[in-house]
Amino acid sequence: LNDAQWRVIGRAVKSEQDRDRFGRVVGDRLYRAIIKGKELKSDVEEDANATEEEKEVARKYQRIGIWPALGKLPKTDKPDEVLRNVGRILGYLKEQGYCESFEISLPEALPKGGFRFRSFVREPANLETTRSLMRSNDNFAPRYDQRILQAFFADCGFGSSFSDSIAGGLQVSEVTPAPMPNGILSEWSLVPDPEAGL
C-alpha cells in the first residue's frame, strides 16, 4: 500500500485502537503468506471478449512474483530463540528485497517472563511513505515488518507493543555523529499473553 492508500484508510479508520487492529490484521495476513508461501498475481480480471492469444499474454503478465515459503517457525517463550526467529523473518524480508539490512539487539529481561529488545530495518521499501506518514496522517503508517513480527510474537504467546522512529542504526552514540537516518528503529516490549493472537 502506498502513501495515498494509507491516507485514505486513515480517514476511514480513525481511532488509535482501530488503527492498531487494522495494522495487526494486515501483519497477520502477511505473516501467514510468508510462512506458507504465496504466488502474487494481479487482481485485474480477465477480459471475456479477448482472443485466446490475448488471454494467454494477459496470464503471462498477471503473475507478479512469488513469496517462497519460509516454513513454520517454532513456538517458543525463550527470548534468545524468539530473537533468532526475528532474524529469520527479517532475513527473509531482506532476501525478498524489502530492506537493505537489519540489526537486532540482545534481549533485556522484564518482570513476569517478559523482555524487551530493539530492531533496526535499514532502507525498507516503504521508507519514504513511512517517513511522510509518521510526520502527518496522525502517525498512521504501514509498519509492515513490525506488524509481521507482532503476528509471530502472538503465535509464541506474547503480547507485544513497540514505538518506532526514523533512525540511522540500532545504536545511538553521543560520542560519534549520528548516521544519516535511513531506516526504522523499533523499541519492543513483549509480555506473556496466551490470548495474544487475533
Side-chain angles (χ1 to χ4, degrees), residues 126-141:
N126 59 338
L127 180 61
E128 290 309 313
T129 295
T130 299
R131 189 182 312 228
S132 169
L133 293 171
M134 287 174 88
R135 286 191 304 256
S136 60
N137 206 40
D138 296 323
N139 198 26
F140 183 51

Side-chain angles (χ1 to χ4, degrees), residues 6 24 27 29 36 41 58 66 68 70 82 89 136 146-147 154 189:
W6 278 94
R24 286 177 183 264
R29 289 183 180 172
K36 294 177 184 172
K41 293 183 177 182
I66 190 163
L70 178 62
V82 169
I89 293 168
S136 60
Q146 293 99 324
R147 297 308 190 173
S189 293

Side-chain angles (χ1 to χ4, degrees), residues 122-183:
R122 180 170 283 106
E123 296 288 342
N126 59 338
L127 180 61
E128 290 309 313
T129 295
T130 299
R131 189 182 312 228
S132 169
L133 293 171
M134 287 174 88
R135 286 191 304 256
S136 60
N137 206 40
D138 296 323
N139 198 26
F140 183 51
R143 297 178 169 92
Y144 297 122
D145 52 285
Q146 293 99 324
R147 297 308 190 173
I148 290 167
L149 291 177
Q150 280 187 306
F152 166 66
F153 299 146
D155 270 5
C156 291
F158 285 102
S160 60
S161 60
F162 66 90
S163 61
D164 58 0
S165 60
I166 305 293
L170 188 64
Q171 301 297 329
V172 178
S173 169
E174 294 179 14
V175 178
T176 59
M180 181 68 155
N182 62 352

